[in-house]
Amino acid sequence: MSSSKSAHENKDDLQDCLKTLRPLLDDFSRNTYDDLTDHGTLIRALQQTRNQVERCTLTRKSKAAKRKDGGGDIATKQEVDEMGVRIWNLTSDYKHSVASKPKDIGLVASLYHTAFRLIEASTEPNPPFELTARLLRACSAAIPFLAQSGQLELAEELTHLGAEYQQILTASKLSSTEENRERNHVLSTFLLARVDLEISRKNDNLALSLMMKAAEFDVMGGSKYQELVTKCWSISHDLIARKKQANQIPFTTAPIEWLQQGIAIIEKMRKIGLNTPTVEDIHITILQSIAQEQISNAPKDPNYLPKAMKTLNEIVKIGHPIDGLTAYQSRMVQIHLLSRERKPTNENGIRDVLIGLIENIEWSEDQINEIFAQAQVLAEHYPILPLWICQSLLDAACGKEEGGEDHLSRILYEGIIIARQSLVGQSQAGYNAVSSMLETIVKNSSQRHLDEIGIAAIQLILNEVAEKSFENQGKLDEAAQWYLLAAHPALPSGKPERANQCRRKAALCLVRAGKLIAAKELLRGFPLEEASTHYLAFLIATEENDFAEASSAIDQLMECRDVEAGHLLLISTLSNKEGRETFMLDTLQSLLDALERPDVEDSLRVERLTLIKCMVRITVAQLANKSAEKDIVGNEVVGLLDSAIRSLRGDTPLNQEHAKTVSWLYKSAYNLGVAELGNFSAGVLSKLFDRSAQLIDWYRRLDPADVDSNMEKTRALTMFACFCGKAFQYRDLPDGNEKFTLRNQLLQYYHAVHKALSSADGGPNTMKDLLEVYRIELLCNAHRWEEIRGTIITLKSSDRTDNDATIRILEMVANLLLDYPDCPTSIIHHLLQAIIGLCGITNQAEVVRFSRWIRGIITLLFIRNTPEDLARAQDYFSRTLKILRTPLGREYPQDEFHWLIATTWNKGLAEYGSSRMESASKWCRIALTIAETMPGSVSQSQEMKRQYLEMFGQNTQ
């Protein structure tokens, strides 16, 4: 009685659980897609329901009780079954609508587990085939999610129950093929559930065995097979992921084994006619995974590399219309694998793969970028292969009606870039490749598909290649080839001048390479109205030393409207060539004359200065030839400097652009004059320095900001040197109008030179003194004595800190005046007075200087012989005696001593002979006094005393 009551209570409790569960399931069905729903209450209700099912008499352990109870409550069984089916259906919908999060997996596991327990509880013992299949299907649904959620014991428990159902189904005698397929379907599903459990238990070897058994069943339709294949692929990726995790138990099976099992299932599907596009896509995916595994294993085992190549070939060769991207990616991987080995023998294999890749290219930017990137990688070990890739791509692009032509500019540009890189070791191969690509464009009439920007970029890169070869003088022929490629007919442009410019550069390379015939041939196609055409003609004429052709080319160049300063500069640069100095001088002179035309623009006319600079350089270089006539060369330079000065007199703002040239010219003129002081005549030297000074004045006007004290000094020096040269020239001229004119010019020029020397910071006084001496010389020649007197007064009264310097210039003037007999003695006397007045006696040199000039002034006074002059003379003798009586008197020159004694004694004797006794006695006493001071003159002094006594007596004072 109690047992029956307990069963009844259990049924009531189960109904209560179902009653509680029902609204929760209603709520769950309405919130299936809501991830934020709290499923805790539902899971607890499911757990309570399973607990009540276990207690209920409907479990296997309660079968006997059921029999005693008359087979149980049919209404309750039906209610339980309906609830189980409902939960199963809800779960099947839910598991496909939510992400596989841990909480979702646990919920699904709980739902499926509860559904199975309810269905199991509502099923009679020894059920028929359909119900047994249903039980195994429900059990199989719960096992994987229980395993994934970590409930391995429950999963194991259900697996044991499932095994019982498996045995029952396996032993069942079926009446139809449909039932057989259904059984196989259910049994394979159970085996897949066991696979999931064994994978969770890290028993992957058993799992693979179960997978192989599941694949042996013949099932209805392809979906089940696809599920098997997908699971193989999924498990392989799980194994790969787990291998990368730390602290993981290693698996006994390799991921590739699972993938290969997937391939085996696909092969089985094909045999039974279940091959579909979906299956092929899965096939490709698995093959890609196999290839990845083989590639990753290749470093450890080289045998995997050919296996990977074979797998990739299978992907490419799959019969159904696979997407081109998959085949493209597979071929790219093959190229990578072959190139990675770096074997020369692999080049043909790479070409074969590339052929298939290019033939099936989709002409997308991404694919083209990847191909060129791969070409760059291949270039290191297969230098010619990238060029072949570019040519093959170009051929394909030209041959395609759609798609490829849009990429022609890009392909051609990249091809040239690769060719440029190959120039280091394969220069001719690079050129041939680019030439071939351009010819392909022309051959296929594909020029119209090249865009203007692409053409400009291509020409730019070709120019860069050419210029790099041009910089290497040993590759001028190569540079010409590349320039001509830049002007190739395959590169039409809205700016034809670009192609003309490239052809002109090619011609220039040929000229410099000495290929004059080829250059002339190329020149014939150039426009005659362009100045650059005639410049090239001039260049060729120069190389052939043909002055007539060179002059003709210059004339035609100057008639072109587009002639510019650059052409003249290019011509001037040729002046640096050795061995053609005379030719270049004549040529530059022709150009210089052409620039004098009235129709020549100022912007070109000012370039005369540049040409003159070059001509001066060439002319000066002739002085190195010892046989050259120095003055002739010097006058040629002067003539060129005159031309420069005439050009500057135009005084246009454009002259300022040539200030540096003017600076170079004045420095060159000055340096040349200094260097050739001993070789040029005074006339040539003076002209050089004069032109230098004039050019300095022009430079100061053109660039006043650059004027400094050094320039002012240089200007003063050039003017002084010019004055000196003209002064020397003046001396050499015979008397006449020319000499008269030059003297007046110099006297006028003196003021400018004196001002320049005075203005120069720390101006050289020595030059100013010499300038005064030269001026006095000119004044002497002009008999302008009063001006000389004024100059002497100025010199004597000049505010100089160096008294000795004043004496020296006065001495120079004295020496000069003494050479002019008609110079008034008053001027000379005044000058000598000034010298003696400034003399300080502090050393031997000053004593010697004093002795010289005292003799000069006394001589002059004696010549004039007036009482005033004789009195002054006596004063000078008195000053001299004072010096002789000092210790420095011993430094007085002996010959001057003798002169003083002889002069005064003789003067006394002359006065004595004229009966002027008093004057005679005075002069004789002066002589005696001087004689007494002279060292070693005792005997002479005694003799003079004796004579004196005889003449004047003892009492004479």
Side-chain angles (χ1 to χ4, degrees):
M1 183 70 179
S2 60
S3 176
S4 176
K5 182 179 178 181
S6 175
H8 181 73
E9 288 176 355
N10 285 339
K11 285 186 279 187
D12 291 340
D13 291 340
L14 177 58
Q15 287 178 343
D16 290 340
C17 287
L18 295 176
K19 184 177 180 181
T20 302
L21 185 60
R22 197 170 284 112
L24 293 175
L25 291 175
D26 292 339
D27 184 61
F28 174 69
S29 65
R30 288 193 295 268
N31 296 281
T32 300
Y33 300 97
D34 186 1
D35 290 340
L36 299 179
T37 301
D38 183 10
H39 299 303
T41 303
L42 175 59
I43 292 175
R44 285 192 293 273
L46 292 169
Q47 179 65 47
Q48 292 174 358
T49 301
R50 290 197 301 275
N51 292 339
Q52 289 303 320
V53 167
E54 289 179 4
R55 296 190 188 97
C56 188
T57 56
L58 297 177
T59 62
R60 288 180 191 226
K61 295 178 181 180
S62 306
K63 289 180 182 180
K66 287 180 184 180
R67 284 193 296 271
K68 292 178 182 179
D69 205 24
D73 189 344
I74 297 176
T76 301
K77 291 179 181 179
Q78 184 174 355
E79 183 182 2
V80 170
D81 185 75
E82 290 175 354
M83 181 61 74
V85 172
R86 182 188 179 195
I87 294 174
W88 187 5
N89 292 335
L90 282 174
T91 308
S92 298
D93 293 337
Y94 176 71
K95 74 175 182 179
H96 294 300
S97 63
V98 296
S100 297
K101 298 178 182 178
K103 66 175 184 178
D104 298 323
I105 293 173
L107 174 61
V108 173
S110 182
L111 286 167
Y112 269 136
H113 188 194
T114 304
F116 167 70
R117 288 302 185 183
L118 290 171
I119 293 172
E120 180 190 36
S122 65
T123 303
E124 293 291 339
N126 301 317
F129 169 79
E130 292 182 358
L131 293 179
T132 304
R134 187 178 72 158
L135 281 171
L136 185 55
R137 191 180 299 112
C139 179
S140 300
I143 292 171
F145 288 98
L146 288 170
Q148 291 178 47
S149 62
Q151 303 177 67
L152 296 180
E153 291 183 2
L154 288 176
E156 283 276 2
E157 181 183 339
L158 294 190
T159 301
H160 292 310
L161 290 174
E164 295 177 8
Y165 301 139
Q166 180 187 21
Q167 290 178 358
I168 294 171
L169 289 176
T170 303
S172 299
K173 294 181 179 180
L174 304 178
S175 59
S176 67
T177 303
E178 184 176 347
E179 287 183 346
N180 186 57
R181 288 181 177 174
E182 176 64 18
R183 179 179 62 182
N184 291 343
H185 190 279
V186 174
L187 292 176
S188 65
T189 301
F190 175 64
L191 290 174
L192 290 179
R194 291 191 61 189
V195 167
D196 286 334
L197 174 60
E198 298 306 327
I199 289 294
S200 298
R201 296 173 60 192
K202 306 295 188 298
N203 193 0
D204 56 300
N205 197 25
L206 177 56
L208 180 58
S209 176
L210 293 170
M211 176 62 74
M212 296 172 65
K213 289 181 179 179
E216 293 175 358
F217 287 104
D218 292 329
V219 296
M220 184 181 299
S223 59
K224 193 62 181 180
Y225 285 115
Q226 291 181 21
E227 181 184 355
L228 294 173
V229 174
T230 302
K231 185 170 286 292
C232 288
W233 180 86
S234 176
I235 291 174
S236 72
H237 277 261
D238 287 343
L239 296 182
I240 293 171
R242 291 185 186 183
K243 280 199 305 184
K244 295 179 181 178
Q245 296 176 2
N247 303 321
Q248 287 291 330
I249 300 173
F251 293 95
T252 52
T253 59
I256 199 168
E257 294 181 66
W258 290 89
L259 295 170
Q260 289 169 341
Q261 179 58 36
I263 295 295
I265 296 171
I266 290 174
E267 292 297 329
K268 180 178 179 180
M269 293 177 69
R270 285 179 177 158
K271 289 179 181 179
I272 62 178
L274 293 177
N275 193 26
T276 65
T278 303
V279 173
E280 296 296 355
D281 289 340
I282 297 173
H283 190 188
I284 291 171
T285 303
I286 293 179
L287 286 174
Q288 288 174 330
S289 299
I290 291 175
Q292 290 173 357
E293 277 297 294
Q294 290 169 333
I295 292 170
S296 64
N297 291 328
K300 299 178 183 178
D301 186 352
N303 293 324
Y304 274 102
L305 194 58
K307 292 179 181 179
M309 289 294 296
K310 182 179 179 181
T311 303
L312 292 168
N313 277 330
E314 290 181 26
I315 295 174
V316 173
K317 295 177 181 179
I318 287 179
H320 91 101
I322 69 172
D323 65 301
L325 181 60
T326 301
Y328 166 81
Q329 291 173 342
S330 299
R331 289 188 173 104
M332 290 298 290
V333 174
Q334 286 181 305
I335 294 171
H336 170 72
L337 294 176
L338 288 170
S339 61
R340 192 169 68 176
E341 287 191 306
R342 301 178 181 178
K343 293 180 180 178
T345 54
N346 284 354
E347 182 168 352
N348 290 332
I350 295 174
R351 285 179 185 255
D352 292 339
V353 177
L354 283 167
I355 289 172
L357 187 149
I358 294 172
E359 287 178 350
N360 296 278
I361 191 171
E362 294 184 353
W363 299 111
S364 67
E365 286 291 335
D366 290 341
Q367 287 192 9
I368 291 175
N369 289 340
E370 288 185 19
I371 290 174
F372 281 122
Q374 190 63 56
Q376 294 286 356
V377 174
L378 292 171
E380 181 178 0
H381 300 287
Y382 306 98
I384 302 300
L385 192 55
L387 297 174
W388 177 88
I389 293 173
C390 296
Q391 181 64 58
S392 299
L393 266 178
L394 193 68
D395 291 337
C398 289
K400 293 282 185 180
E401 294 184 359
E402 295 182 0
E405 67 275 1
D406 296 335
H407 301 277
L408 282 176
S409 296
R410 168 72 188 286
I411 295 170
L412 192 56
Y413 179 81
E414 294 290 348
I416 294 171
I417 292 291
I418 291 173
R420 181 179 65 175
Q421 294 171 349
S422 71
L423 291 178
V424 177
Q426 303 283 341
S427 58
Q428 192 59 40
Y431 168 79
N432 292 339
V434 175
S435 178
S436 176
M437 285 189 281
L438 293 173
E439 290 298 327
T440 299
I441 295 291
V442 174
K443 180 180 178 181
N444 290 276
S445 300
S446 299
Q447 298 95 316
R448 67 185 185 279
H449 297 301
L450 299 177
D451 60 272
E452 184 66 28
I453 295 177
I455 290 173
I458 291 167
Q459 288 179 325
L460 177 63
I461 196 68
L462 289 172
N463 266 289
E464 289 179 359
V465 175
E467 286 169 8
K468 188 173 182 180
S469 297
F470 181 78
E471 291 170 2
N472 184 345
Q473 293 298 313
K475 294 185 177 181
L476 290 171
D477 286 346
E478 185 177 303
Q481 287 181 328
W482 284 99
Y483 278 128
L484 290 176
L485 286 181
H488 198 280
L491 303 173
S493 172
K495 297 180 179 179
E497 60 272 15
R498 284 205 301 250
N500 286 337
Q501 185 181 31
C502 294
R503 282 192 287 269
R504 282 195 295 269
K505 289 181 178 180
L508 180 62
C509 292
L510 292 173
V511 172
R512 294 194 176 181
K515 306 293 180 62
L516 301 183
I517 296 176
K520 283 183 177 180
E521 186 65 30
L522 192 57
L523 190 63
R524 291 190 180 95
F526 291 173
L528 295 176
E529 66 275 10
E530 293 183 0
S532 296
T533 300
H534 302 293
Y535 166 72
L536 286 171
F538 165 79
L539 195 60
I540 294 172
T542 301
E543 293 294 326
E544 293 179 335
N545 210 30
D546 190 338
F547 178 72
E549 284 294 327
S551 297
S552 174
I554 286 177
D555 289 339
Q556 294 181 69
L557 180 142
M558 293 302 297
E559 291 177 359
C560 294
R561 292 185 177 182
D562 65 336
V563 63
E564 54 188 24
H567 294 109
L568 307 185
L569 291 175
L570 287 171
I571 292 176
S572 65
T573 57
L574 299 177
S575 62
N576 296 322
K577 286 197 172 184
E578 296 182 3
R580 297 182 182 176
E581 290 80 4
T582 303
F583 177 86
M584 286 309 304
L585 273 177
D586 293 339
T587 302
L588 293 176
Q589 186 61 55
S590 298
L591 186 54
L592 203 62
D593 294 341
L595 290 174
E596 288 291 347
R597 297 177 186 172
D599 58 336
V600 174
E601 296 180 0
D602 288 342
S603 60
L604 291 178
R605 196 184 303 277
V606 294
E607 293 300 331
R608 286 172 53 85
L609 294 171
T610 303
L611 300 180
I612 290 170
K613 175 182 176 180
C614 297
M615 295 175 73
V616 168
R617 185 188 295 114
I618 298 173
T619 304
V620 171
Q622 294 178 356
L623 292 171
N625 186 353
K626 295 182 179 180
S627 63
E629 290 290 340
K630 301 290 186 179
D631 274 8
I632 293 177
V633 175
N635 278 316
E636 288 176 353
V637 174
V638 171
L640 292 169
L641 297 175
D642 286 339
S643 295
I645 293 170
R646 283 196 302 272
S647 296
L648 290 168
R649 284 173 186 156
D651 202 17
T652 67
L654 294 173
N655 284 337
Q656 293 180 347
E657 298 177 7
H658 294 269
K660 297 301 181 184
T661 300
V662 175
S663 173
W664 186 91
L665 288 172
Y666 87 70
K667 291 175 183 177
S668 296
Y670 177 77
N671 293 335
L672 179 62
V674 172
E676 300 295 336
L677 279 174
N679 298 319
F680 285 161
S681 65
V684 172
L685 287 171
S686 62
K687 290 176 186 177
L688 279 173
F689 290 124
D690 174 59
R691 295 341 181 245
S692 179
Q694 290 187 54
L695 289 166
I696 290 176
D697 288 338
W698 277 107
Y699 182 74
R700 294 196 306 173
R701 186 184 305 177
L702 296 175
D703 193 2
D706 194 42
V707 176
D708 56 15
S709 58
N710 290 330
M711 185 177 293
E712 292 295 342
K713 286 182 181 180
T714 303
R715 177 175 177 270
L717 289 173
T718 57
M719 295 178 71
F720 174 75
C722 174
F723 189 95
C724 293
K726 289 291 184 181
F728 296 151
Q729 184 184 6
Y730 171 81
R731 292 174 182 175
D732 296 335
L733 289 175
D735 293 337
N737 290 333
E738 184 180 357
K739 189 170 186 176
F740 176 78
T741 301
L742 181 56
R743 184 178 66 204
N744 289 337
Q745 290 174 345
L746 285 171
L747 289 173
Q748 290 293 326
Y749 190 45
Y750 157 82
H751 299 288
V753 179
H754 188 274
K755 181 179 179 181
L757 291 172
S758 301
S759 298
D761 185 22
N765 286 323
T766 303
M767 291 185 183
K768 287 191 282 187
D769 293 344
L770 288 174
L771 183 68
E772 293 297 340
V773 173
Y774 291 144
R775 175 173 176 267
I776 290 173
E777 179 182 353
L778 294 170
L779 291 174
C780 287
N781 289 331
H783 301 286
R784 293 160 66 171
W785 306 113
E786 289 306 315
E787 292 184 42
I788 295 174
R789 187 190 303 277
T791 301
I792 293 172
I793 294 171
T794 301
L795 291 173
K796 183 178 69 173
S797 61
S798 61
D799 186 15
R800 293 172 181 261
T801 57
D802 186 359
N803 195 50
D804 193 53
T806 303
I807 294 174
R808 281 198 299 271
I809 185 174
L810 291 173
E811 287 178 332
M812 286 190 290
V813 174
N815 290 329
L816 177 64
L817 293 179
L818 291 173
D819 288 337
Y820 289 87
D822 53 347
C823 177
T825 55
S826 60
I827 294 176
I828 297 176
H829 178 258
H830 180 73
L831 176 61
L832 295 177
Q833 273 187 320
I835 293 173
I836 293 172
L838 292 172
C839 282
I841 310 301
T842 59
N843 54 52
Q844 179 185 4
E846 291 175 346
V847 171
V848 173
R849 174 192 286 165
F850 177 83
S851 69
R852 176 191 174 193
W853 293 114
I854 204 70
R855 175 196 279 208
I857 195 167
I858 289 174
T859 301
L860 181 63
L861 292 172
F862 277 7
I863 291 173
R864 293 166 57 172
N865 204 33
T866 64
E868 293 80 7
D869 290 329
L870 293 176
R872 291 192 189 98
Q874 289 178 5
D875 290 339
Y876 284 123
F877 279 116
S878 298
R879 182 178 176 182
T880 304
L881 280 169
K882 289 180 182 180
I883 295 171
L884 294 176
R885 287 169 178 165
T886 66
L888 285 173
R890 296 181 177 276
E891 305 297 334
Y892 208 88
Q894 290 293 313
D895 57 338
E896 296 298 332
F897 253 117
H898 290 300
W899 183 87
L900 290 171
I901 296 169
T903 300
T904 53
W905 183 259
N906 290 336
K907 183 63 177 176
L909 294 178
E911 292 292 299
Y912 182 82
S914 299
S915 300
R916 291 190 284 274
M917 303 304 291
E918 183 178 355
S919 176
S921 175
K922 185 181 293 185
W923 287 109
C924 286
R925 285 199 302 274
I926 292 173
L928 283 171
T929 303
I930 294 172
E932 289 173 354
T933 61
M934 181 178 176
S937 62
V938 176
S939 59
Q940 181 181 6
S941 175
Q942 291 176 350
E943 178 61 24
M944 290 175 64
K945 284 182 180 180
R946 186 187 63 76
Q947 292 183 20
Y948 178 81
L949 291 174
E950 289 179 356
M951 294 168 56
F952 301 104
Q954 294 183 357
N955 295 325
T956 303
Q957 294 296 322

